PDB file of all heavy atoms in Angstrom:
ATOM      1  N   THR Y 369      78.787 191.856 112.491  1.00 88.00           N
ATOM      2  CA  THR Y 369      77.307 192.040 112.516  1.00 88.00           C
ATOM      3  C   THR Y 369      76.951 193.484 112.215  1.00 88.00           C
ATOM      4  O   THR Y 369      75.994 193.780 111.509  1.00 88.00           O
ATOM      5  CB  THR Y 369      76.714 191.613 113.887  1.00 88.00           C
ATOM      6  OG1 THR Y 369      77.126 190.257 114.114  1.00 88.00           O
ATOM      7  CG2 THR Y 369      75.271 191.734 113.911  1.00 88.00           C
ATOM      8  N   HIS Y 372      77.240 194.112 108.618  1.00 78.00           N
ATOM      9  CA  HIS Y 372      76.134 193.444 107.838  1.00 78.00           C
ATOM     10  C   HIS Y 372      74.844 194.307 107.918  1.00 78.00           C
ATOM     11  O   HIS Y 372      74.215 194.545 106.881  1.00 78.00           O
ATOM     12  CB  HIS Y 372      75.887 192.046 108.348  1.00 78.00           C
ATOM     13  CG  HIS Y 372      74.719 191.369 107.670  1.00 78.00           C
ATOM     14  ND1 HIS Y 372      74.800 190.851 106.423  1.00 78.00           N
ATOM     15  CD2 HIS Y 372      73.451 191.148 108.130  1.00 78.00           C
ATOM     16  CE1 HIS Y 372      73.633 190.314 106.089  1.00 78.00           C
ATOM     17  NE2 HIS Y 372      72.777 190.490 107.084  1.00 78.00           N
ATOM     18  N   VAL Y 373      74.459 194.684 109.133  1.00 76.00           N
ATOM     19  CA  VAL Y 373      73.143 195.386 109.258  1.00 76.00           C
ATOM     20  C   VAL Y 373      73.250 196.806 108.655  1.00 76.00           C
ATOM     21  O   VAL Y 373      72.208 197.377 108.327  1.00 76.00           O
ATOM     22  CB  VAL Y 373      72.674 195.433 110.734  1.00 76.00           C
ATOM     23  CG1 VAL Y 373      72.457 194.040 111.262  1.00 76.00           C
ATOM     24  CG2 VAL Y 373      73.661 196.209 111.604  1.00 76.00           C
ATOM     25  N   ARG Y 376      72.718 195.922 104.800  1.00 68.00           N
ATOM     26  CA  ARG Y 376      71.501 195.172 104.411  1.00 68.00           C
ATOM     27  C   ARG Y 376      70.283 196.066 104.485  1.00 68.00           C
ATOM     28  O   ARG Y 376      70.044 196.650 105.543  1.00 68.00           O
ATOM     29  CB  ARG Y 376      71.347 193.969 105.372  1.00 68.00           C
ATOM     30  CG  ARG Y 376      70.074 193.163 105.155  1.00 68.00           C
ATOM     31  CD  ARG Y 376      70.141 192.395 103.870  1.00 68.00           C
ATOM     32  NE  ARG Y 376      68.901 191.649 103.640  1.00 68.00           N
ATOM     33  CZ  ARG Y 376      68.632 190.424 104.077  1.00 68.00           C
ATOM     34  NH1 ARG Y 376      69.564 189.759 104.749  1.00 68.00           N
ATOM     35  NH2 ARG Y 376      67.536 189.827 103.814  1.00 68.00           N
ATOM     36  N   VAL Y 383      68.905 197.948 107.620  1.00 66.00           N
ATOM     37  CA  VAL Y 383      68.349 197.180 108.746  1.00 66.00           C
ATOM     38  C   VAL Y 383      68.895 197.714 110.070  1.00 66.00           C
ATOM     39  O   VAL Y 383      68.189 197.794 111.075  1.00 66.00           O
ATOM     40  CB  VAL Y 383      68.654 195.692 108.606  1.00 66.00           C
ATOM     41  CG1 VAL Y 383      68.291 194.931 109.863  1.00 66.00           C
ATOM     42  CG2 VAL Y 383      67.969 195.137 107.387  1.00 66.00           C
ATOM     43  N   LEU Y 389      67.251 196.937 116.726  1.00 74.00           N
ATOM     44  CA  LEU Y 389      68.577 196.412 116.443  1.00 74.00           C
ATOM     45  C   LEU Y 389      69.658 197.311 116.985  1.00 74.00           C
ATOM     46  O   LEU Y 389      70.708 196.825 117.504  1.00 74.00           O
ATOM     47  CB  LEU Y 389      68.767 196.204 114.945  1.00 74.00           C
ATOM     48  CG  LEU Y 389      67.819 195.163 114.295  1.00 74.00           C
ATOM     49  CD1 LEU Y 389      68.300 194.892 112.874  1.00 74.00           C
ATOM     50  CD2 LEU Y 389      67.788 193.913 115.100  1.00 74.00           C
ATOM     51  N   ARG Y 392      70.054 196.397 120.622  1.00 87.00           N
ATOM     52  CA  ARG Y 392      70.707 195.086 120.807  1.00 87.00           C
ATOM     53  C   ARG Y 392      72.247 195.208 120.598  1.00 87.00           C
ATOM     54  O   ARG Y 392      73.068 194.709 121.369  1.00 87.00           O
ATOM     55  CB  ARG Y 392      70.133 194.057 119.869  1.00 87.00           C
ATOM     56  CG  ARG Y 392      68.749 193.595 120.283  1.00 87.00           C
ATOM     57  CD  ARG Y 392      68.124 192.680 119.237  1.00 87.00           C
ATOM     58  NE  ARG Y 392      68.817 191.402 119.079  1.00 87.00           N
ATOM     59  CZ  ARG Y 392      68.303 190.411 118.327  1.00 87.00           C
ATOM     60  NH1 ARG Y 392      67.126 190.591 117.732  1.00 87.00           N
ATOM     61  NH2 ARG Y 392      68.927 189.265 118.218  1.00 87.00           N
ATOM     62  N   GLU Y 441      75.826 184.321 119.150  1.00 93.00           N
ATOM     63  CA  GLU Y 441      74.397 184.133 118.887  1.00 93.00           C
ATOM     64  C   GLU Y 441      73.780 185.310 118.152  1.00 93.00           C
ATOM     65  O   GLU Y 441      72.992 185.124 117.187  1.00 93.00           O
ATOM     66  CB  GLU Y 441      73.655 183.893 120.226  1.00 93.00           C
ATOM     67  CG  GLU Y 441      73.960 182.560 120.851  1.00 93.00           C
ATOM     68  CD  GLU Y 441      73.384 182.410 122.243  1.00 93.00           C
ATOM     69  OE1 GLU Y 441      72.991 183.446 122.865  1.00 93.00           O
ATOM     70  OE2 GLU Y 441      73.267 181.245 122.698  1.00 93.00           O
ATOM     71  N   GLU Y 442      74.153 186.528 118.558  1.00 91.00           N
ATOM     72  CA  GLU Y 442      73.618 187.714 117.893  1.00 91.00           C
ATOM     73  C   GLU Y 442      74.113 187.761 116.449  1.00 91.00           C
ATOM     74  O   GLU Y 442      73.414 188.177 115.551  1.00 91.00           O
ATOM     75  CB  GLU Y 442      74.057 188.989 118.593  1.00 91.00           C
ATOM     76  CG  GLU Y 442      73.371 189.167 119.993  1.00 91.00           C
ATOM     77  CD  GLU Y 442      71.945 189.609 119.870  1.00 91.00           C
ATOM     78  OE1 GLU Y 442      71.109 188.921 119.256  1.00 91.00           O
ATOM     79  OE2 GLU Y 442      71.624 190.692 120.360  1.00 91.00           O
ATOM     80  N   CYS Y 443      75.363 187.342 116.249  1.00 90.00           N
ATOM     81  CA  CYS Y 443      75.918 187.340 114.886  1.00 90.00           C
ATOM     82  C   CYS Y 443      75.128 186.414 113.959  1.00 90.00           C
ATOM     83  O   CYS Y 443      74.782 186.805 112.867  1.00 90.00           O
ATOM     84  CB  CYS Y 443      77.393 186.889 114.952  1.00 90.00           C
ATOM     85  SG  CYS Y 443      78.212 186.913 113.365  1.00 90.00           S
ATOM     86  N   VAL Y 444      74.818 185.227 114.446  1.00 90.00           N
ATOM     87  CA  VAL Y 444      74.033 184.271 113.671  1.00 90.00           C
ATOM     88  C   VAL Y 444      72.642 184.840 113.417  1.00 90.00           C
ATOM     89  O   VAL Y 444      72.148 184.851 112.267  1.00 90.00           O
ATOM     90  CB  VAL Y 444      73.976 182.909 114.357  1.00 90.00           C
ATOM     91  CG1 VAL Y 444      72.977 181.977 113.641  1.00 90.00           C
ATOM     92  CG2 VAL Y 444      75.339 182.267 114.397  1.00 90.00           C
ATOM     93  N   GLN Y 445      71.945 185.322 114.472  1.00 85.00           N
ATOM     94  CA  GLN Y 445      70.579 185.762 114.340  1.00 85.00           C
ATOM     95  C   GLN Y 445      70.425 187.008 113.453  1.00 85.00           C
ATOM     96  O   GLN Y 445      69.537 187.094 112.640  1.00 85.00           O
ATOM     97  CB  GLN Y 445      69.984 186.007 115.722  1.00 85.00           C
ATOM     98  CG  GLN Y 445      69.833 184.776 116.528  1.00 85.00           C
ATOM     99  CD  GLN Y 445      69.392 185.019 117.958  1.00 85.00           C
ATOM    100  OE1 GLN Y 445      68.993 186.114 118.324  1.00 85.00           O
ATOM    101  NE2 GLN Y 445      69.458 184.025 118.795  1.00 85.00           N
ATOM    102  N   LEU Y 446      71.344 187.996 113.663  1.00 84.00           N
ATOM    103  CA  LEU Y 446      71.158 189.264 112.932  1.00 84.00           C
ATOM    104  C   LEU Y 446      71.698 189.170 111.461  1.00 84.00           C
ATOM    105  O   LEU Y 446      71.425 190.076 110.709  1.00 84.00           O
ATOM    106  CB  LEU Y 446      71.856 190.392 113.679  1.00 84.00           C
ATOM    107  CG  LEU Y 446      71.282 190.687 115.068  1.00 84.00           C
ATOM    108  CD1 LEU Y 446      71.952 191.898 115.692  1.00 84.00           C
ATOM    109  CD2 LEU Y 446      69.756 190.933 114.943  1.00 84.00           C
ATOM    110  N   HIS Y 447      72.333 188.071 111.159  1.00 74.00           N
ATOM    111  CA  HIS Y 447      72.672 187.859 109.732  1.00 74.00           C
ATOM    112  C   HIS Y 447      71.495 187.198 109.001  1.00 74.00           C
ATOM    113  O   HIS Y 447      71.544 187.032 107.792  1.00 74.00           O
ATOM    114  CB  HIS Y 447      73.895 186.971 109.605  1.00 74.00           C
ATOM    115  CG  HIS Y 447      75.195 187.687 109.588  1.00 74.00           C
ATOM    116  ND1 HIS Y 447      75.758 188.196 110.724  1.00 74.00           N
ATOM    117  CD2 HIS Y 447      75.999 188.094 108.576  1.00 74.00           C
ATOM    118  CE1 HIS Y 447      76.884 188.807 110.448  1.00 74.00           C
ATOM    119  NE2 HIS Y 447      77.052 188.763 109.139  1.00 74.00           N
ATOM    120  N   GLY Y 448      70.448 186.844 109.719  1.00 81.00           N
ATOM    121  CA  GLY Y 448      69.279 186.277 109.072  1.00 81.00           C
ATOM    122  C   GLY Y 448      69.593 184.891 108.509  1.00 81.00           C
ATOM    123  O   GLY Y 448      70.382 184.105 109.064  1.00 81.00           O
ATOM    124  N   GLY Y 449      68.992 184.599 107.355  1.00 79.00           N
ATOM    125  CA  GLY Y 449      69.149 183.281 106.748  1.00 79.00           C
ATOM    126  C   GLY Y 449      70.582 182.917 106.435  1.00 79.00           C
ATOM    127  O   GLY Y 449      71.002 181.769 106.609  1.00 79.00           O
ATOM    128  N   ILE Y 450      71.364 183.904 105.964  1.00 79.00           N
ATOM    129  CA  ILE Y 450      72.768 183.606 105.585  1.00 79.00           C
ATOM    130  C   ILE Y 450      73.588 183.139 106.814  1.00 79.00           C
ATOM    131  O   ILE Y 450      74.529 182.375 106.697  1.00 79.00           O
ATOM    132  CB  ILE Y 450      73.407 184.806 104.894  1.00 79.00           C
ATOM    133  CG1 ILE Y 450      74.725 184.394 104.238  1.00 79.00           C
ATOM    134  CG2 ILE Y 450      73.662 185.926 105.898  1.00 79.00           C
ATOM    135  CD1 ILE Y 450      75.363 185.480 103.416  1.00 79.00           C
ATOM    136  N   GLY Y 451      73.169 183.631 108.003  1.00 76.00           N
ATOM    137  CA  GLY Y 451      73.920 183.238 109.170  1.00 76.00           C
ATOM    138  C   GLY Y 451      73.722 181.810 109.576  1.00 76.00           C
ATOM    139  O   GLY Y 451      74.488 181.269 110.381  1.00 76.00           O
ATOM    140  N   MET Y 452      72.680 181.169 109.007  1.00 80.00           N
ATOM    141  CA  MET Y 452      72.411 179.764 109.271  1.00 80.00           C
ATOM    142  C   MET Y 452      73.115 178.828 108.278  1.00 80.00           C
ATOM    143  O   MET Y 452      73.010 177.601 108.444  1.00 80.00           O
ATOM    144  CB  MET Y 452      70.919 179.470 109.184  1.00 80.00           C
ATOM    145  CG  MET Y 452      70.086 180.386 110.093  1.00 80.00           C
ATOM    146  SD  MET Y 452      70.357 180.112 111.866  1.00 80.00           S
ATOM    147  CE  MET Y 452      69.283 181.296 112.592  1.00 80.00           C
ATOM    148  N   THR Y 453      73.798 179.372 107.296  1.00 83.00           N
ATOM    149  CA  THR Y 453      74.417 178.499 106.292  1.00 83.00           C
ATOM    150  C   THR Y 453      75.792 178.028 106.702  1.00 83.00           C
ATOM    151  O   THR Y 453      76.514 178.679 107.503  1.00 83.00           O
ATOM    152  CB  THR Y 453      74.514 179.252 104.947  1.00 83.00           C
ATOM    153  OG1 THR Y 453      75.376 180.355 105.096  1.00 83.00           O
ATOM    154  CG2 THR Y 453      73.131 179.755 104.494  1.00 83.00           C
ATOM    155  N   HIS Y 456      78.788 180.551 105.492  1.00 85.00           N
ATOM    156  CA  HIS Y 456      79.126 181.714 106.294  1.00 85.00           C
ATOM    157  C   HIS Y 456      79.845 181.273 107.572  1.00 85.00           C
ATOM    158  O   HIS Y 456      79.466 180.288 108.184  1.00 85.00           O
ATOM    159  CB  HIS Y 456      77.861 182.528 106.666  1.00 85.00           C
ATOM    160  CG  HIS Y 456      78.156 183.885 107.164  1.00 85.00           C
ATOM    161  ND1 HIS Y 456      78.517 184.158 108.468  1.00 85.00           N
ATOM    162  CD2 HIS Y 456      78.181 185.096 106.509  1.00 85.00           C
ATOM    163  CE1 HIS Y 456      78.742 185.452 108.620  1.00 85.00           C
ATOM    164  NE2 HIS Y 456      78.535 186.033 107.466  1.00 85.00           N
ATOM    165  N   ALA Y 458      79.844 182.316 110.521  1.00 89.00           N
ATOM    166  CA  ALA Y 458      79.218 182.597 111.842  1.00 89.00           C
ATOM    167  C   ALA Y 458      79.136 181.355 112.712  1.00 89.00           C
ATOM    168  O   ALA Y 458      79.306 181.415 113.932  1.00 89.00           O
ATOM    169  CB  ALA Y 458      77.845 183.207 111.661  1.00 89.00           C
TER     170      ALA Y 458
END
Side-chain angles (χ1 to χ4, degrees):
T369 304
H372 176 75
V373 298
R376 174 72 182 270
V383 171
L389 296 191
R392 286 172 67 171
E441 289 174 342
E442 291 285 60
C443 182
V444 171
Q445 292 174 11
L446 296 184
H447 272 79
I450 193 175
M452 305 292 179
T453 63
H456 194 278

